[in-house]
Amino acid sequence: MKNINLETMDRRFIEKILYFDEIDSTNDRAKDLGTNTNIKSALLITEYQTKGRGRMGRSWEMPKGKDLMFSLLLRPGIKPMDAPKLTIVFAQTVVNVVKKLYNIGLSTKWPNDVIYNGRKVCGILTEMNTDIEMVNYVVIGAGINCNNEVFSKELNDKAVALKSIVKAEIQREELLQSLIVEFERLYNKFLVNGLLDIISDIRDSSAIIGREVHVMRKGEKLKYKVSDISTDGELLVVNENKEIEPLISGELLVPGIYGYAG
Ligand code: BTN
């Protein structure tokens, strides 16, 4: 497979674009740039990561040259509590772009996954460096299953490639370009009004509103029903006593998603 060609890319709001044939982790390099330079925004993209990271300290592995692995460095000038909303904005970006390019309806598993029929298409890892009052920078890292259709036994019923859904090879440059353009559009809305202007799309895209979800806390399985996603980006869930609780972050187990039986 040919490498991603970024020469013709319309870079929009991105001050610096860095391409790596191989790197440890685009999120780690983006954080270096955030800490050691004044660059306002950057896109780091690679064909392969030797130390790709997922959420909850997990490793994230993708074969060379088939998928999309990249990180965006941003300095949005927001409060730390608002940073997780950017994960939701990026997930919505992926949903919108895949609908527009391929006419495929993906959905989101709050807060950071984009899925198709209960399988993961895209994982997002958002990290930040912050003062008490204001975020210094945010890094949004995304891994999108594009053309690799062969997964390990462990991931086989949990992941799916866009190629298998669209039934055609995914042009990674085209997808990346559309993601940048659409993210810029939603990010500008976010900077003005937070999630307010896109919350109805976010709700429509959610795979879990109305469903039962389980959260493991101190070895105990807590069962909730998801009622909504708030404009603060929280998941509003109803507990077994019929009280509404906001979840700010966390790992959800959802019967029917990623092969979880409940
Ligand atoms: C998850 O679902 O756990 C999030 C996965 C995020 C993976 C991407 S790949 C590009 C960027 N660099 C990393 O090390 N991780 C993110």
Side-chain angles (χ1 to χ4, degrees), residues 212-225:
E212 182 177 313
V213 298
H214 301 165
V215 177
M216 295 304 292
R217 216 169 274 157
K218 294 182 187 150
E220 202 192 337
K221 184 167 39 176
L222 304 176
K223 291 187 180 180
Y224 300 104
K225 186 166 177 193

Side-chain angles (χ1 to χ4, degrees), residues 39-235:
I39 294 170
K40 287 203 180 63
S41 54
L43 169 68
L44 293 87
I45 172 145
T46 191
E47 299 288 353
Y48 185 68
Q49 297 185 124
T50 53
K51 285 192 187 144
R53 292 187 293 107
R55 288 176 82 226
M56 314 280 168
R58 297 191 192 108
S59 71
W60 178 268
E61 288 172 26
M62 290 179 132
K64 188 160 189 165
K66 295 199 158 199
D67 298 314
L68 274 180
M69 288 162 257
F70 60 89
S71 300
L72 279 169
L73 166 70
L74 305 167
R75 298 190 195 269
I78 54 175
K79 297 194 184 92
M81 60 177 280
D82 290 326
K85 294 177 190 166
L86 282 166
T87 307
I88 296 175
V89 173
F90 195 82
Q92 188 62 40
T93 302
V94 176
V95 170
N96 292 355
V97 165
V98 168
K99 180 77 191 163
K100 189 166 173 220
L101 284 182
Y102 314 116
N103 199 25
I104 297 287
L106 300 183
S107 47
T108 57
K109 175 177 178 276
W110 182 95
N112 75 312
D113 290 355
V114 184
I115 65 175
Y116 182 77
N117 274 350
R119 293 176 183 205
K120 185 145 148 174
V121 173
C122 167
I124 303 166
L125 176 66
T126 300
E127 300 181 283
M128 66 174 157
N129 177 298
T130 185
D131 286 340
I132 286 186
E133 295 284 326
M134 191 76 101
V135 164
N136 296 322
Y137 62 81
V138 175
V139 169
I140 305 174
I144 305 180
N145 294 322
C146 292
N147 291 315
N148 168 49
E149 297 177 286
V150 187
F151 296 100
S152 63
K153 212 171 139 204
E154 184 200 329
L155 288 181
N156 214 16
D157 57 352
K158 299 192 173 84
V160 64
L162 280 173
K163 181 179 177 180
S164 314
I165 307 169
V166 175
K167 303 205 168 29
E169 188 82 10
I170 300 301
Q171 303 305 319
R172 293 181 297 158
E173 288 94 344
E174 178 190 44
L175 177 56
L176 181 63
Q177 177 71 76
S178 302
L179 289 168
I180 297 307
V181 171
E182 179 65 0
F183 181 73
E184 180 183 49
R185 191 178 78 84
L186 300 190
Y187 182 55
N188 285 336
K189 285 178 188 279
F190 168 79
L191 291 177
V192 177
N193 261 339
L195 296 181
L196 209 63
D197 294 343
I198 57 170
I199 192 71
S200 73
D201 289 348
I202 290 168
R203 288 174 176 142
D204 287 350
S205 306
S206 172
I208 62 172
I209 289 179
R211 279 172 78 162
E212 182 177 313
V213 298
H214 301 165
V215 177
M216 295 304 292
R217 216 169 274 157
K218 294 182 187 150
E220 202 192 337
K221 184 167 39 176
L222 304 176
K223 291 187 180 180
Y224 300 104
K225 186 166 177 193
V226 178
S227 73
D228 203 358
I229 295 171
S230 76
T231 48
D232 285 329
E234 305 151 331
L235 193 71

